Amino acid sequence: MIRVLVIDDDDIAREAMCAVLVKAGFYVFELATPIGATSVIKRDGITAVALDINMPTINGDKLAKLLRDNAQLSNLGIVLVSGCDVEQLSALGAKVGADGIVSKSKLHVALAPAIERAVAARAAKSGAPTTSITYPSSGPPSSRRPR
């Protein structure tokens, strides 16, 4: 099961990302700040993160670089999300080793596929099988906030 951590300090944007991912069938966790992200990732078996770029405590690109440099998190898919210019976002993503980028204006159509590609890319690099999503007839789990 793909488990996604959404990190965005903007409540509306974070809720929009969570809604898109839950609808796509992912198990979704969310944080309003990057503080404690590594603990949540390890504790809850997070498969991928969707990171906003502009946050007050630490920018998403800096957090992405820290996560990518952590050998224990080498299988973590990282997708950068921002309302900034796509070329600028793409350059940031390449610089920090992100697996994908998504413009906030394209969340509804681009976020779930970007997460799937990020997870598949990480699985291919590690030689692990790609995670498939299967849920009972009741549908995917709802999102929750980790404590």
Side-chain angles (χ1 to χ4, degrees):
M1 175 188 309
I2 296 177
R3 300 165 72 85
V4 183
L5 175 60
V6 173
I7 307 173
D8 194 324
D9 62 311
D10 182 297
D11 294 340
I12 295 170
R14 189 176 65 254
E15 290 299 324
M17 284 191 274
C18 290
V20 166
L21 295 172
V22 167
K23 184 176 179 182
F26 301 120
Y27 194 81
V28 178
F29 298 77
E30 58 183 287
L31 290 174
T33 173
I35 306 302
T38 303
S39 296
V40 172
I41 291 166
K42 290 178 180 179
R43 180 189 70 213
D44 294 319
I46 301 299
T47 313
V49 293
L51 294 170
D52 179 35
I53 295 295
N54 298 311
M55 291 186 282
T57 53
I58 181 173
N59 282 342
D61 57 319
K62 290 188 180 14
L63 177 60
K65 179 76 170 129
L66 292 171
L67 295 172
R68 188 54 70 224
D69 290 345
N70 185 330
Q72 293 178 321
L73 303 177
S74 62
N75 292 333
L76 182 69
I78 299 173
V79 175
L80 299 181
V81 180
S82 180
C84 73
D85 178 69
V86 175
E87 283 126 23
Q88 181 183 11
L89 184 57
S90 183
L92 272 175
K95 181 179 175 184
V96 299
D99 299 297
I101 61 160
V102 174
S103 170
K104 284 190 177 181
S105 66
K106 304 285 186 195
L107 281 179
H108 291 86
V109 295
L111 185 58
I115 293 293
E116 289 173 345
R117 284 191 303 272
V119 170
R122 288 289 130 190
K125 286 184 180 183
S126 71
T130 303
T131 305
S132 62
I133 305 171
T134 53
Y135 296 110
S137 59
S138 62
S142 60
S143 73
R144 70 175 183 89
R145 288 180 175 83
R147 303 268 183 249

